[in-house]
Structures are given as C-alpha cells and as structure tokens.
Amino acid sequence: MTTTFIRTLGEIAVYRDGESIKLPASRKTRALLGYLALTARPHRRERLCDLFWEAPDDPRGALRWSLSKIRPLVNDTSVQRLEADRERAALKGDELSVDLHDIAAELDAAELPVTRLEAIVALLGETVLDGCDLPDQSLFQEWLVAERRDAERLRARALQRLGSHPDLMPDRALSVIRTWSELEPFSTDAANHLVTRLTQAGREIEATTAREEFSARFQKAGIDWVPQPGGAVVPPAAPDPITTARQYQARQKIQFCTASDRVRIAYASVGEGPPIIKAANWLSHLELDWDAPIWSPLLRQLAVDHQVVRYDERGNGLSDWQVDDISFEAFVTDLETVVEATGLEKFALLGISQGAAVSIEYAVRHPERVSKLVLFGGYPAGWRIDASDEQIREREAIMTLTASGWGADNPAYRQIFSSTFMPDATAEEFAWFNDFQRATTSPENAVRFLSAFGDIDVRDRLAQVRVPTLVIHSQGDQRIPARTGREIAASIPDAEFLGLDSDGHLLLGREPASQAFVGAVHEFLTRD
C-alpha cells in the first residue's frame, strides 16, 4: 500500500511515497482538499456547497467536479481514502498522514529532542493553507482563520517545550521564550519564563522592564499575575483544563451504523467517564452542534466527567436525509441501533424534547441497559393526541409555514420560534438559528418531523419505567408547559422533578438555568 501525506503548513501539497503530486489549479479545489484533510470527518454535500460556492452558481456540480479532481490525488488501487456518496464526503484520517495532525500528536509525547522541537517550531511558523484564502466565502474563511489561530497556539506549546528543554543553550532558550511571549502576550506562563530567564542571565534591567510591562498589560486586561522570583527555570505549566468546543469537535470520532431499513445513522463519542447516551432530538448536527449556543456549552460540560455518545436523527444532521420512514417507531429503532453499535452494556440515557418519549420507550423495552434516565422538556403525547379540530388546523398551518420558511429569514416563521423555543434569544442567536435549520435538514423533512411528533404517545409506558428517573423542565416553557413535565414525573414511579428558572424549551448556554441543568444532571448521575 502506498503512503499518502498532505502538507497543510504553507502551500498545500500532496506526497505519495515521498513524491510530490501535481495539484489542480483551482484554488477552491485546493481549499476543499485542505478542509477535508484537516477536519478528517464526514460533511454533508449541502454544507460543503455553502462553504465553497455561491448559490447563483451550480454548487453541487462544482462540488462534484472538485471531488473528481481530489479523488486521484488521494486514492490508489488498494485504498479509497476519499469517501463520497450522494449525501456526504470525507477523507479518512486513519488512511493518510496530515502534517498538523502528526505534529499535534508529537507534542503530546513525553519527550522530544531539541532538534525535533526546533523543526516543529519552524514548521508551525508557516501559514496554514497559504494561498487558499477565499475572502468571498465567509463560512470557509471563518473556519480558516480559526484553524490558523489553533496552529499558533500549537506553536506556542512547541516554543514552551523548546524553551524549557534542559539541552537547549541559555541564549537560545531566552530567544525562544521571548518569541513565545510575543506570540502569546497575555500568557502569564510566558511572562514568568521570560522574567526568570532574564534574571538568570544577569540582565536585571531588562528583567525589571519586562516585569513592569507585563504587570501593566495584565492589570489592564484584568488578569491576575504574581511574578515568580528569580532562580530555577519555571517548569512548563499543566495543560489548560478548559477544553474548547473546537477541541471537542476535533476529538470526537464520527462513525456510522445501519438501521434495519438500511438507513445510515451518524453517531459520535467524546469525553471519558461513565457513559451517557443522548437520544436524538430534532435539530442536531454532530459537527455543527459544537458551535451552537444551545448545545455546545451543555455538551462540553457533560464531557468533562462522562463519555457522551450522541447521534443525529434519521433525516437530520449527518445521518441519511433521503429516508422512507420518519416515525416514532423508527426513532426508537435508531436509538437501539446506535446502542448496539457502541457496544455499551449499561449507560445513563438523556432525552430532550421528543427525545424524552424515545428514551422512555427504550427504557421500558430495555431496563437492564439503562442505569439512570434524565428527561428534559419532554412530552408523552404528541399534538394530534386528543387535539381539537382548531388545534389541529393551527398545527397544520405551522407545518405549511415551515415548508416555505425553513432556514429563511422569514419574520412570521421566526416568531414561531422566538415565542416558544428560545424567547430570550438575541438577534445574533436567531441569525445562527436560521443557518442551523438549513444545515440540519431539508424543508420537506422538517415538515415530516413535525407531523411525526404529533403521533407520539407513550402515556401508557410511564408507569412501566423501572429505572431511576430525573425529570427537568423550564418553568416558563411556552412550547411544552411545565405541568407536562410534572405529570411525567408523577406518572413514573419514584421519579424526581426539577423546575428551572427559564422560559426556553431549549436552554441557551449563557443563561444560569443551563448551569443549573448540568449541575443537577451531574449530581443525579453520580449519586449512589
């Protein structure tokens, strides 16, 4: 088997068995290759079109052309590294080598010689995907800017390790640490290293000047800093325990399993600790959730102490969109399929919104698999159940509006969500919500989901739940009233109920109720 290496530091290049392969002249094709290589996860074709091509053109045709140019660059007779079907495209990260990924793994190693650290610092001084900027494609350009910032942070790590290396000559160490402090001007670790090195070198005037400059800079920025006294070199600081959304996004491994009707379901796992599976609910995307003001803070905090497994509903996110069956039974079957794919024998189960009913049904069918059950914003019966003719007409009108307004800047459609899902959201959060809708599913599937939710009915299953259950509901939820949550808790044997001080059916990560939710879930799951 041939080896394929992709260089993304500097101008993008592809090497096969050490020999450079000529790349297409198209900047967008080279940018697409770099994006697929660095993300190393599947992407919906619609998302790639949004990233790289303007709507008035033929984005799907342009994407097909670019993929056709990339395929011979990375594939060979024995390995198909580019996977592309009608719905998704991905470069298989485990079948090729990418320079940034390799360097990140090296920097996690316990020991590296000075020569290798020097080489890594030099490599990271190159611009990520130099020459691949697409100023007219804002989504791609935002991603590229963030990727370059991550590379700078990686270079800072390399500089820190190199400057602290015992085999590095003192003058060179001082130069390296000075570069580190310039790259990260608000790093207290870099400041301590530089002041200490200057003091050790007998350059007291420079050390005093640096100490005063750092103190003024940190004070202005509101950063607490106590200069380290002179003496031994300050050891490298422990890694920052706060993991960013982009880091979690990069760490998760997206996989696929196949339901009984051959629908492919995308699922992912991130974090370590006791496992918790989040049943899918409407509006999710395994990749884009990490940028979401409603999901990202919740997922990050749960992943601190747990292995969090989640998946995209069929017809939604990275799972297959072109499906024949969107129904409650299919939702339950998909959860069963994901559970078997993970190989987990026992786990906590989290159900949000309609995912609560799915979780209830699963817990009744498989009580031996569920250690604890957490339900948020749930309902046991859909909108068609016991509804009046007027209520049905109202819901059908919403479905008609959804068909025309999905993902669009439609004030009438937006009002539906502003008054029910996230009443306290800002204009920027609603703008994000519009884009998120378009990226998560199609208008046709959105209508099918709304219809399927109307048929949910697990009322007779509540009394059959035999696992410890915590029911959480926003007290001011205007989509699913809090009394519905209390009724669920009253109907499940020994269930607990917690009301949150929020008006949202979906919690915004910035509101205090989100922290209360995570705290309650953590306390419940860790309780004996």
Side-chain angles (χ1 to χ4, degrees), residues 262-449:
R262 305 192 64 78
V263 172
R264 292 213 301 167
I265 305 298
Y267 69 99
S269 174
V270 69
E272 296 181 357
I276 177 169
I277 294 181
K278 175 185 172 294
N281 54 279
W282 196 33
L283 288 183
S284 73
H285 191 294
L286 294 179
E287 181 188 15
L288 302 182
D289 281 351
W290 294 109
D291 297 322
I294 52 176
W295 299 130
S296 182
L298 167 64
L299 295 174
R300 292 202 307 271
Q301 292 180 65
L302 288 178
V304 171
D305 299 305
H306 297 276
Q307 175 193 359
V308 179
V309 178
R310 49 196 244 284
Y311 61 98
D312 286 332
E313 199 85 86
R314 59 173 55 214
N316 188 77
L318 287 174
S319 294
D320 284 353
W321 285 19
Q322 300 176 31
V323 297
D324 294 330
D325 186 11
I326 291 182
S327 65
F328 179 71
E329 182 58 34
F331 298 156
V332 178
T333 300
D334 289 346
L335 173 55
E336 293 174 328
T337 301
V338 170
V339 169
E340 294 309 313
T342 65
L344 295 172
E345 292 297 326
K346 205 171 185 71
F347 50 87
L349 184 58
L350 169 63
I352 297 174
S353 193
Q354 91 276 0
V358 173
S359 300
I360 290 166
E361 181 65 27
Y362 183 91
V364 172
R365 294 186 189 182
H366 309 282
E368 75 286 355
R369 306 294 290 272
V370 181
S371 59
K372 292 187 178 181
L373 181 62
V374 179
L375 308 173
F376 173 67
Y379 54 92
W383 57 266
R384 282 197 186 91
I385 308 302
D386 298 335
S388 65
D389 290 342
E390 182 179 353
Q391 289 172 323
I392 291 176
R393 285 194 297 271
E394 179 181 334
R395 288 287 187 162
E396 289 176 344
I398 291 175
M399 290 164 60
T400 300
L401 188 58
T402 298
S404 61
W406 187 253
D409 191 13
N410 183 317
Y413 183 64
R414 180 186 297 186
Q415 182 60 28
I416 296 174
F417 288 88
S418 65
S419 63
T420 55
F421 275 90
M422 305 182 300
D424 296 326
T426 64
E428 291 77 14
E429 287 163 341
F430 276 122
W432 163 84
F433 199 58
N434 286 337
D435 292 335
F436 192 60
Q437 288 173 23
R438 185 171 59 253
T440 50
T441 195
S442 64
E444 297 78 14
N445 279 352
V447 173
R448 294 175 69 191
F449 277 119

Side-chain angles (χ1 to χ4, degrees), residues 186 212-225:
F186 294 100
E212 292 173 351
E213 290 177 351
F214 282 128
S215 295
R217 182 187 304 164
F218 292 148
Q219 183 178 12
K220 186 175 181 180
I223 299 173
D224 293 329
W225 180 57

Side-chain angles (χ1 to χ4, degrees), residues 118-345:
E118 290 274 21
I120 288 175
V121 167
L123 287 169
L124 290 171
E126 298 286 342
T127 301
V128 175
L129 297 181
D130 194 14
C132 287
D133 291 76
L134 302 175
D136 295 333
Q137 302 297 138
S138 60
L139 291 176
F140 171 77
Q141 199 64 27
E142 288 171 7
W143 170 83
L144 183 57
V145 169
E147 201 70 22
R148 288 170 176 171
R149 287 174 181 162
D150 284 351
E152 286 184 352
R153 284 189 282 269
L154 199 61
R155 186 166 186 253
R157 282 181 56 198
L159 287 165
Q160 178 180 8
R161 290 195 59 177
L162 177 60
S164 304
H165 201 289
D167 295 339
L168 194 65
M169 297 298 291
D171 287 348
R172 175 58 181 151
L174 180 57
S175 175
V176 167
I177 293 170
R178 195 187 299 276
T179 302
W180 171 28
S181 69
E182 291 169 353
L183 186 63
E184 293 193 313
F186 294 100
S187 168
T188 56
D189 288 334
N192 283 329
H193 274 72
L194 181 57
V195 170
T196 298
R197 281 289 186 182
L198 288 169
T199 302
Q200 289 179 332
R203 299 161 74 162
E204 292 292 347
I205 295 177
E206 289 183 63
T208 300
T209 301
R211 189 181 296 110
E212 292 173 351
E213 290 177 351
F214 282 128
S215 295
R217 182 187 304 164
F218 292 148
Q219 183 178 12
K220 186 175 181 180
I223 299 173
D224 293 329
W225 180 57
V226 178
Q228 295 289 331
V233 176
V234 182
D240 188 346
I242 301 175
T243 306
T244 67
R246 280 181 59 82
Q247 289 172 320
Y248 275 125
Q249 184 187 59
R251 290 178 185 178
Q252 72 175 1
K253 182 177 182 180
I254 297 174
Q255 297 174 277
F256 291 86
C257 55
T258 304
S260 57
D261 59 355
R262 305 192 64 78
V263 172
R264 292 213 301 167
I265 305 298
Y267 69 99
S269 174
V270 69
E272 296 181 357
I276 177 169
I277 294 181
K278 175 185 172 294
N281 54 279
W282 196 33
L283 288 183
S284 73
H285 191 294
L286 294 179
E287 181 188 15
L288 302 182
D289 281 351
W290 294 109
D291 297 322
I294 52 176
W295 299 130
S296 182
L298 167 64
L299 295 174
R300 292 202 307 271
Q301 292 180 65
L302 288 178
V304 171
D305 299 305
H306 297 276
Q307 175 193 359
V308 179
V309 178
R310 49 196 244 284
Y311 61 98
D312 286 332
E313 199 85 86
R314 59 173 55 214
N316 188 77
L318 287 174
S319 294
D320 284 353
W321 285 19
Q322 300 176 31
V323 297
D324 294 330
D325 186 11
I326 291 182
S327 65
F328 179 71
E329 182 58 34
F331 298 156
V332 178
T333 300
D334 289 346
L335 173 55
E336 293 174 328
T337 301
V338 170
V339 169
E340 294 309 313
T342 65
L344 295 172
E345 292 297 326

